[in-house]
Amino acid sequence: MHLNVQDLSVARGGIAVLEGLSFTVNPGQALILRGPNGIGKTTLLRSLAGLQPALNGEINAPNESIAYAAHSDGIKHVLTVRENLEFWADVFGTNDIAPALNAFELEPLANRPAGALSAGQKRRLGLARLLVTARPIWILDEPTVSLDIHAVEMFANAIRAHLVGGGIALIATHIDLGLEADILDITSFKAKPVAMKDDAMEGFL
Amino acid sequence: MSLWEYANPVKFMALSGRILPWTAALSAICLVVGLIWGFFFTPDDFRQGSTVKIIYLHVPSALMAINVWFMMLVTSLIWIIRRHHVSALAAKAAAPIGVVMTLIALITGAIWGQPMWGTWWVWDPRLTSFLILFLFYLGYIALWSAIEDNDTAADLTSILCLVGSVFAVLSRYAVNFWNQGLHQGASLSLDKEKNVADVFYQPLLVCIAGFVLLFVALMLLRTRTEIRARRTKALLARERMA
Amino acid sequence: MKALLIRDLRLAMRAGGGFGLGLAFFLIVTVLVPFSVGPDSALLSTIAAGILWLGALLACLLSLDRILALDWEDGTLDLLACAPLPMEGTVSIKALAHWLTTGLPLILAAPLFALLLSLPSAGYIPLILSLLLGTPALSVIGTFGAALTVGIKRGGLLLSLLVLPLYVPTLIFGSEVARRGADGLSYSTPLIMLAGITLGTIALLPFASAAVLRVNIR
């Protein structure tokens, strides 16, 4: 169980934004991605999660091993917290949502409609979803948005527990989570505009 | 040297730039000769009088209306399978021409139908099918114009063209089942006996050639415009990145 | 798959889920027809079958953009794309949920609305039969349209423009069954055609819908 990336290039709107990325994340390790806004962190993470095709290179990870969480959590406002989690647990074929509720201190809110939660509480629900997927590789895009200090601590603990269990986490974030993790600054992988080749096969660029 | 080399926009631009004036000129000659010949130098039909001469517009445009959709289907398939941008852009460029051809066929048909059948419009299977084809063209063009991202738009419209073709054929049969019509059989066919006398037939062929060439010329011109627009867009995007 | 179906049904039933909206629309269309064509019941009974089919089709159309747009906005579709569910399965379930919450109530209500339009008594069974066989195709085709337009802001009008031409064969055969039935004629040929179209779309169109959805998620 590794997440291995070889010479990866990713594109947004058909234009390469990052190129030549290679890294490996071993079980029990976390990798934190840094880089200024617009550099292509989200594009990279979506490509790794398989939501969009990579331009070039290889992504090696076992089948159906990746859980992805981004800015929008897929929470249904008219369903309760419990129903929201149970749905994802069913989809991923797990059935115990108690640990997830517990890890993000959601038990007192379990029977409230998700629409009545605050932004931070919704975010906690979105992150609790990761636990019920039972997937070993977590790909997280700015997971701490709208979390308070206490909730960030909860999140960091959940990551630690995940890593201790042999999991892998890839996190794009700007704040310090207090994790023992490698940091990869992707600024240097910014794609250089290629020289206009007149005889290129698809010579639009 | 394979045909696929012209899927390269640069090669396509060079080749189309060379043949565009020729097709445009040829089409103008064919249309002028065919239409004048057809309108002024053919006898009146013994039953239909001079109204029959509208076939020189009606038949070629109706043929083109269907064949343009077919060409869009082929280019959409090429885009889906081989992902040549020129192919997707050619489909995009052809659609508005197809819609105009369909409209010409419908309007000339109505003008012809009025003296012949005593009505501008009947819900005849052929007429209805063309109306449905017109709606399919409109949907296709609307989808192209609604999507910002070029590749997404090309993918979605290609699949719509594929699915739409199947449903267009289904609609054709459904409409046939729904109402048996007034419309005469096809004026031209390869296997059956000719319905049209030679005097009418020869100028008609010239007109059809003119319409085909006109379509090719317009399609090349519009595809060239699309390619240039794409290149402009790509250059601007690069400038923003640098 | 079952979880997705149950969730979609639950969402439709809860407040703001739009359940019953299509039904109310169907009722209003049925009520408006006599106002526009006149109260003559002989005229109404000849056009009843066609009007009911058209009303059902429009009511179906009304709720199409809810099939995927809400899940698109809150990111559920992204997350479902990573889940161990094939996209073809997801769109099929979505279409099934749409049929259960929109098509099925329409079929159940149709005989009641047929009374309002004085449909001849021979027409009831073919009407229900044709709706039962035809409305699943409307949901499946509608899901394809919804998948095409999911990424477009205010795509509702475009959705109608794209989907309505695709509805033509279903509408022709469906209302042919209902009309022939109301006239006391044999309707087995159009019924078989209708069944063929419905089965064909259920079998094949989810692949197109899934392909389109993947492109939109990209």
Side-chain angles (χ1 to χ4, degrees):
Chain A
M1 175 71 54
H2 296 270
L3 175 63
N4 172 252
V5 168
Q6 288 288 326
D7 195 26
L8 184 71
S9 303
V10 296
R12 190 195 308 124
I15 297 162
V17 287
L18 292 170
E19 61 186 10
L21 259 168
S22 298
F23 58 80
T24 303
V25 195
N26 293 317
Q29 271 190 344
L31 181 66
I32 291 176
L33 297 178
R34 290 268 158 84
N37 289 337
I39 186 75
K41 291 192 294 292
T42 297
T43 310
L44 173 61
L45 294 180
R46 287 180 69 86
S47 302
L48 290 174
L51 289 170
Q52 61 179 71
L55 208 56
N56 243 321
E58 276 178 48
I59 301 167
N60 300 308
N63 271 340
E64 302 204 330
S65 61
I66 291 174
Y68 171 75
H71 312 284
S72 31
D73 293 314
I75 292 170
K76 290 295 168 195
H77 287 185
V78 294
L79 300 182
T80 64
V81 170
R82 182 186 301 282
E83 284 168 334
N84 267 301
L85 271 184
E86 274 171 351
F87 164 64
W88 288 109
D90 273 355
V91 166
F92 283 89
T94 58
N95 37 37
D96 193 11
I97 64 162
L101 284 175
N102 185 37
F104 288 92
E105 294 177 13
L106 289 165
E107 289 106 336
L109 307 170
N111 293 319
R112 261 207 234 167
L117 301 183
S118 74
Q121 289 168 331
K122 271 184 208 157
R123 193 72 219 166
R124 268 152 62 192
L125 173 55
L127 294 170
R129 190 186 61 82
L130 289 169
L131 288 170
V132 305
T133 63
R135 292 254 168 117
I137 302 176
W138 290 0
I139 292 186
L140 310 174
D141 195 356
E142 300 287 359
T144 53
V145 171
S146 58
L147 290 184
D148 62 20
I149 297 171
H150 178 57
V152 169
E153 193 50 41
M154 270 184 238
F155 168 65
N157 286 334
I159 297 271
R160 278 189 205 106
H162 179 62
L163 298 179
V164 167
I168 289 174
L170 194 63
I171 311 166
T173 183
H174 288 282
I175 68 159
D176 185 19
L177 295 168
L179 294 171
E180 309 72 34
D182 298 329
I183 292 177
L184 177 67
D185 193 327
I186 58 173
T187 316
S188 56
F189 296 101
K190 185 174 176 183
K192 294 155 207 66
V194 275
M196 179 93 64
K197 283 195 228 101
D198 268 353
D199 57 346
M201 191 56 191
E202 296 292 350
F204 289 120
L205 298 169
Chain B
M1 186 73 191
S2 92
L3 185 66
W4 297 117
E5 282 191 25
Y6 294 103
N8 174 350
V10 181
K11 282 240 170 80
F12 177 85
M13 289 299 273
L15 179 75
S16 61
R18 259 184 289 134
I19 61 177
L20 181 57
W22 292 98
T23 46
L26 262 176
S27 122
I29 293 169
C30 284
L31 283 177
V32 169
V33 170
L35 289 178
I36 290 178
W37 183 2
F39 284 160
F40 300 109
F41 297 96
T42 54
D44 286 355
D45 185 77
F46 70 96
R47 268 184 305 125
Q48 304 197 3
S50 57
T51 48
V52 74
K53 292 180 179 181
I54 205 164
I55 57 168
Y56 298 113
L57 288 173
H58 182 69
V59 172
S61 59
L63 272 177
M64 291 317 291
I66 296 168
N67 286 321
V68 170
W69 183 274
F70 188 67
M71 172 256 171
M72 281 159 52
L73 174 63
V74 172
T75 45
S76 296
L77 275 173
I78 293 175
W79 162 251
I80 291 176
I81 297 166
R82 301 198 53 140
R83 305 199 79 74
H84 293 311
H85 287 86
V86 174
S87 186
L89 292 180
K92 181 185 186 185
I97 309 172
V99 92
V100 173
M101 291 293 178
T102 315
L103 211 53
I104 294 175
L106 284 170
I107 291 171
T108 53
I111 294 171
W112 193 5
Q114 213 285 327
M116 288 298 103
W117 304 332
T119 170
W120 296 101
W121 180 262
V122 282
W123 289 94
D124 165 274
R126 261 171 208 264
L127 277 67
T128 313
S129 305
F130 265 77
L131 200 58
I132 296 170
L133 183 64
F134 183 66
L135 296 178
F136 274 105
Y137 271 120
L138 287 188
Y140 179 88
I141 295 170
L143 188 62
W144 258 112
S145 60
I147 303 167
E148 201 112 319
D149 184 81
N150 295 315
D151 284 5
T152 307
D155 280 335
L156 296 185
T157 50
S158 304
I159 298 175
L160 176 67
C161 185
L162 241 69
V163 173
S165 303
V166 175
F167 276 87
V169 173
L170 276 179
S171 304
R172 178 82 181 99
Y173 284 105
V175 165
N176 264 339
F177 178 83
W178 163 78
N179 193 0
Q180 326 295 337
L182 282 176
H183 198 290
Q184 58 188 281
S187 305
L188 293 176
S189 67
L190 296 173
D191 49 344
K192 271 184 283 181
E193 229 176 300
K194 277 198 297 248
N195 299 338
V196 182
D198 276 347
V199 265
F200 298 114
Y201 188 66
Q202 284 149 0
L204 184 56
L205 282 186
V206 178
C207 282
I208 290 172
F211 266 76
V212 172
L213 287 166
L214 177 66
F215 166 69
V216 172
L218 286 175
M219 200 268 293
L220 287 178
L221 184 68
R222 291 182 50 85
T223 310
R224 287 166 65 80
T225 313
E226 292 290 344
I227 290 175
R228 289 201 174 109
R230 279 289 289 277
R231 197 163 166 94
T232 316
K233 213 172 163 184
L235 285 172
L236 284 173
R238 254 149 67 88
E239 205 149 280
R240 269 201 308 276
M241 270 184 66
Chain C
M1 299 256 233
K2 216 176 84 195
L4 185 59
L5 181 64
I6 291 169
R7 186 201 68 146
D8 269 19
L9 294 180
R10 203 179 255 164
L11 284 174
M13 301 296 179
R14 296 262 163 104
F19 180 74
L21 219 60
L23 209 53
F25 181 81
F26 191 23
L27 175 64
I28 288 174
V29 170
T30 315
V31 170
L32 288 184
V33 168
F35 294 153
S36 68
V37 303
D40 173 20
S41 59
L43 173 64
L44 284 176
S45 76
T46 41
I47 61 170
I51 295 295
L52 288 168
W53 245 94
L54 189 63
L57 183 144
L58 292 176
C60 225
L61 187 74
L62 194 69
S63 50
L64 286 183
D65 61 341
R66 299 189 68 95
I67 300 180
L68 295 168
L70 298 175
D71 281 342
W72 169 265
E73 279 160 20
D74 64 18
T76 306
L77 280 179
D78 281 356
L79 303 179
L80 278 175
C82 301
L85 266 183
M87 197 63 100
E88 287 79 5
T90 305
V91 291
S92 302
I93 291 292
K94 288 270 168 196
L96 176 62
H98 178 259
W99 183 73
L100 287 174
T101 53
T102 312
L104 200 56
L106 292 179
I107 297 168
L108 297 177
L112 226 59
F113 298 170
L115 276 177
L116 292 177
L117 296 177
S118 37
L119 182 78
S121 57
Y124 282 82
I125 289 172
L127 174 71
I128 295 171
L129 216 54
S130 63
L131 285 173
L132 206 56
L133 276 176
T135 46
L138 300 183
S139 291
V140 174
I141 298 168
T143 307
F144 172 67
L148 270 177
T149 53
V150 74
I152 301 167
K153 294 231 158 51
R154 301 178 200 286
L157 200 61
L158 181 64
L159 176 60
S160 316
L161 183 62
L162 295 179
V163 163
L164 284 176
L166 301 179
Y167 274 178
V168 168
T170 313
L171 176 66
I172 286 179
F173 287 121
S175 44
E176 186 81 24
V177 171
R179 273 188 293 131
R180 286 194 181 186
D183 295 344
L185 302 171
S186 153
Y187 51 80
S188 55
T189 314
L191 194 67
I192 291 167
M193 301 286 220
L194 180 66
I197 287 176
T198 303
L199 292 176
T201 49
I202 292 174
L204 298 176
L205 213 50
F207 292 98
S209 312
V212 156
L213 205 52
R214 278 194 211 101
V215 169
N216 268 322
I217 284 173
R218 188 172 72 194

